[in-house]
Amino acid sequence: MDEENIVYVGNKAPMSYVIAVITEFEQGAKSVTLKARGRAISRAVDAAEIVRNKFLPDVTVAGISIDTEEIESEEGGKRNVSSMEISLSK
Amino acid sequence: MDEENIVYVGNKAPMSYVIAVITEFEQGAKSVTLKARGRAISRAVDAAEIVRNKFLPDVTVAGISIDTEEIESEEGGKRNVSSMEISLSK
């Protein structure tokens, strides 16, 4: 089984993450996982859909999971943030 | 098999959708599906996580799917928007 390849989705334009995913597959990865938290979750879905629909039609969504992570807030306390992982395979 | 119960997630606060999901389950639903498009996708994940972690610990995520929908833009053309469905069961 090959090592898992992870692309963390943040605040850049979706195309940044699309290119990162395509690069992983072109380097031989059989699966790539997009990980995002909070508002970046929508962007991770955009990136996955663009990869599949515009660039790599043989890539499929192998699985999607959601979770809650506890992060340090800027005020020093803790707050919960939703997270999502989208696993793409070919 | 019971009728599928759908909660459409839009621009309200996540708690609005949390309450809608809880109400469906309290009325006897065995499964409830959260549907969202575009930026509301993150909010749908928040709502699902809040339902599971704070209110109904016996509810599980039965499945998550993503897709692309074509919508009419305000200028009259068409554009693509990502969509997501989260199925919750108990």
Side-chain angles (χ1 to χ4, degrees), chain A residues 15-50:
Chain A
M15 265 326 269
S16 303
Y17 309 108
V18 170
I19 291 165
V21 170
I22 292 170
T23 303
E24 293 281 2
F25 278 121
E26 284 184 345
Q27 288 173 352
K30 297 285 179 238
S31 70
V32 179
T33 299
L34 287 158
K35 290 193 181 190
R37 297 198 296 196
R39 294 195 180 185
I41 286 173
S42 309
R43 197 169 296 118
V45 176
D46 288 341
E49 285 294 297
I50 294 168

Side-chain angles (χ1 to χ4, degrees), chain A residues 1-72:
Chain A
M1 219 169 85
D2 64 331
E3 192 74 4
E4 194 179 29
N5 302 285
I6 298 169
V7 172
Y8 291 93
V9 177
N11 294 319
K12 295 181 193 167
M15 265 326 269
S16 303
Y17 309 108
V18 170
I19 291 165
V21 170
I22 292 170
T23 303
E24 293 281 2
F25 278 121
E26 284 184 345
Q27 288 173 352
K30 297 285 179 238
S31 70
V32 179
T33 299
L34 287 158
K35 290 193 181 190
R37 297 198 296 196
R39 294 195 180 185
I41 286 173
S42 309
R43 197 169 296 118
V45 176
D46 288 341
E49 285 294 297
I50 294 168
V51 167
R52 291 201 302 157
N53 294 330
K54 308 267 186 196
F55 295 99
L56 302 174
D58 55 336
V59 164
T60 57
V61 176
I64 304 174
S65 63
I66 60 176
D67 204 353
T68 300
E69 296 179 15
E70 200 175 60
I71 61 170
E72 301 272 335

Side-chain angles (χ1 to χ4, degrees), chain A residues 38-43 45-50 52-54 61 64-68 80-84 86, chain B residues 38-42 45-50 52-54 61 64-68 80-84 86:
Chain A
R39 294 195 180 185
I41 286 173
S42 309
R43 197 169 296 118
V45 176
D46 288 341
E49 285 294 297
I50 294 168
R52 291 201 302 157
N53 294 330
K54 308 267 186 196
V61 176
I64 304 174
S65 63
I66 60 176
D67 204 353
T68 300
N80 289 331
V81 63
S82 299
S83 63
M84 185 171 64
I86 304 173
Chain B
R39 293 194 180 186
I41 286 173
S42 309
V45 176
D46 288 341
E49 286 293 296
I50 293 169
R52 290 200 303 156
N53 294 330
K54 308 267 186 196
V61 176
I64 304 174
S65 64
I66 60 175
D67 203 353
T68 300
N80 290 331
V81 65
S82 299
S83 63
M84 186 170 65
I86 303 173

